[in-house]
Amino acid sequence: MGNILSEKRILLGVCGSIACYKAADLASKLTQQGAIVSTVLTAAAQQFITPLTFQSVSGQRAFTDQDLWGSEGHIQHVGLGHQTDLIVIAPASANTIAKLAHGICDNLLTLACLAATCPILIAPAMDSGMYTHPATQANVESLRQRGVYVAGPAIGRMASGLSGLGRMLEPSEILGHIRLLLGRQEGKLRGRRLVVTAGGTWEPIDAVRAITNRSSGKQGFAIAQAAIDQGAEVTLIAAPTNLSTPVGAKRIDIHTAQEMLGAVLASVQEADALIMAAAVADYRPESPVKEKLSKDQGIPQIQLTLTPDILSAVAQLRTHSGFPRVVIGFAAESSDLIEHARQKLTRKKLDLIVANDITATDAGFGTDTNRVTLLDAMGNVQSYPLMSKDEVADLILQKLVVLLEAMA
Ligand code: CTP
């Protein structure tokens, strides 16, 4: 299925706002993800930034109103909106938002939007008083009603030094909204509900110490993002990690295996799939101490006890309710990879298991890459070369699409 932004033709509209400098970063990020980014700058935008900036980061043309009145103008004003998969206006000023809401088309950007057949996303950026003004609110609402996707704005510090609602979202967040929107348009998992777990659980010893493991959560978060790219509704159950939540995911933060069990059982009731990428602690201290243990109390004797096996509990639930329809597990092994993974596949009643050798230094815990073998319930075993965790996520979701189609 690949990266949702790859080869996507995006028209970036840039309006007059100090947030213009962030628009250049957005153009760069989109280009790095494989999108083909042309830009249209309004006259006001050119007071802040030049077309050359966008041309330089994207390698594509940056248009201005001069192109509208040039010899190609009659093609340009309609053509820009037609040859595009998505129009993104970031920053979107109060003035341009008002024009779009009322069908005013007195410059190349507003003309292109009026003639466009593709989806439009706007990222408003303006003074808080301007954004919350009833006129702007009515305009934004009217655009929303017509299917325009409104990303942000955020509450935060403005260039004026004041703080309020009107700050443009950060480029990385706008990128997340673009992925969410594109996924909803054409993703292969549209209408599907997925539950993904990620990270290593924390089993408290005392008020400040815990037993955990080296899982970074990266693989689970990559799966959540890839599922959103494919239009799925995603619940991400995350053990402690500082990774940022993919835009569109419903994130539930937990610490312990017991809390993860509760969150999983509550979330999978009507889910199409559960992907257990989390590294769940197998043991926990039997009686965690509420206060911080002190050396004065001597060396603690920590009695361990088993944590609940989440996948086994899910297997039981599934026998009664039929949900989740597909269950995918992981097997992090340090020896006899295939054999151990096969045993877990059967024991935990999985449809697919993703096995990886944790002794490799370039794959598994904490790295950005992974080398996996997939084993399914039909007995198929396939090993893959070293891949990025994003590629592994995409691979797992390709298999999920096939499994879900086979059930239809
Ligand atoms: N898992 C789970 N509940 C647990 C432990 C693990 O649901 N208490 C899930 C993991 O999220 C993973 C799969 O089971 O998807 C395999 O995890 P792993 O730690 O490799 O297996 P264990 O069941 O812990 O078996 P072993 O200790 O023998 O390796």
Side-chain angles (χ1 to χ4, degrees), residues 34-250:
I36 303 156
V37 185
S38 308
T39 311
V40 186
L41 291 93
T42 63
Q46 288 173 76
Q47 298 291 326
F48 290 93
I49 197 162
T50 70
L52 184 62
T53 307
F54 292 94
Q55 251 160 240
S56 306
V57 294
S58 70
Q60 300 294 321
R61 281 193 66 180
F63 300 94
T64 65
D65 287 346
Q66 271 187 344
D67 298 291
L68 176 62
W69 305 118
S71 58
E72 290 175 40
H74 67 291
I75 320 167
Q76 216 77 274
H77 76 275
V78 185
L80 283 183
H82 279 182
Q83 300 145 6
T84 300
D85 295 307
L86 175 68
I87 295 180
V88 176
I89 308 181
S93 64
N95 188 34
T96 294
I97 289 173
K99 286 181 185 176
L100 294 181
H102 295 277
I104 297 170
C105 44
D106 61 350
N107 62 28
L108 186 55
L109 174 60
T110 48
L111 267 167
C113 289
L114 202 61
T117 46
C118 66
I120 299 177
L121 179 151
I122 62 169
M126 66 198 75
D127 160 75
S128 168
M130 289 166 78
Y131 187 70
T132 53
H133 192 283
T136 307
Q137 285 300 300
N139 291 335
V140 169
E141 192 45 39
S142 144
L143 290 177
R144 219 181 242 129
Q145 294 286 328
R146 271 186 251 147
V148 170
Y149 185 114
V150 184
I155 297 174
R157 191 190 173 279
M158 314 277 185
S160 61
L162 298 172
S163 192
L165 179 65
R167 188 184 154 93
M168 189 174 86
L169 294 188
E170 293 305 316
S172 59
E173 292 172 292
I174 298 175
L175 194 68
H177 284 280
I178 293 172
R179 294 172 79 151
L180 179 65
L181 173 58
L182 289 173
R184 284 181 187 165
Q185 302 285 320
E186 58 184 77
K188 293 210 161 55
L189 288 166
R190 270 176 301 166
R192 301 290 193 184
R193 291 184 190 173
L194 260 64
V195 179
V196 181
T197 66
T201 60
W202 276 61
E203 309 300 334
I205 295 171
D206 67 7
V208 292
R209 303 177 181 95
I211 294 180
T212 186
N213 57 66
R214 286 173 46 224
S215 169
S216 63
K218 285 180 182 171
Q219 187 61 77
F221 274 62
I223 294 169
Q225 178 63 68
I228 288 168
D229 284 1
Q230 293 305 324
E233 217 178 276
V234 176
T235 302
L236 175 59
I237 301 173
T241 161
N242 52 16
L243 298 172
S244 48
T245 314
V247 172
K250 177 186 167 202

Side-chain angles (χ1 to χ4, degrees), residues 320-382:
H320 299 300
S321 69
F323 290 104
R325 284 143 49 85
V326 172
V327 183
I328 299 177
F330 275 69
E333 305 294 343
S334 52
S335 64
D336 296 328
L337 181 72
I338 308 283
E339 194 39 43
H340 284 155
R342 206 193 306 272
Q343 285 166 11
K344 281 179 193 170
L345 178 81
T346 315
R347 192 170 73 232
K348 299 190 184 220
K349 300 193 172 61
L350 305 176
D351 299 288
L352 186 77
I353 195 156
V354 184
N356 65 321
D357 179 355
I358 53 160
T359 59
T361 51
D362 54 357
F365 287 156
T367 64
D368 287 325
T369 48
N370 218 346
R371 190 183 289 107
V372 299
T373 299
L374 301 189
L375 295 87
D376 69 20
M378 275 90 71
N380 299 311
V381 180
Q382 202 165 354

Side-chain angles (χ1 to χ4, degrees), residues 276-282 307-311 329-333 344 347-348:
M276 277 291 296
V280 186
D282 290 326
T307 57
D309 191 301
I310 300 171
L311 280 174
F330 275 69
E333 305 294 343
K344 281 179 193 170
R347 192 170 73 232
K348 299 190 184 220

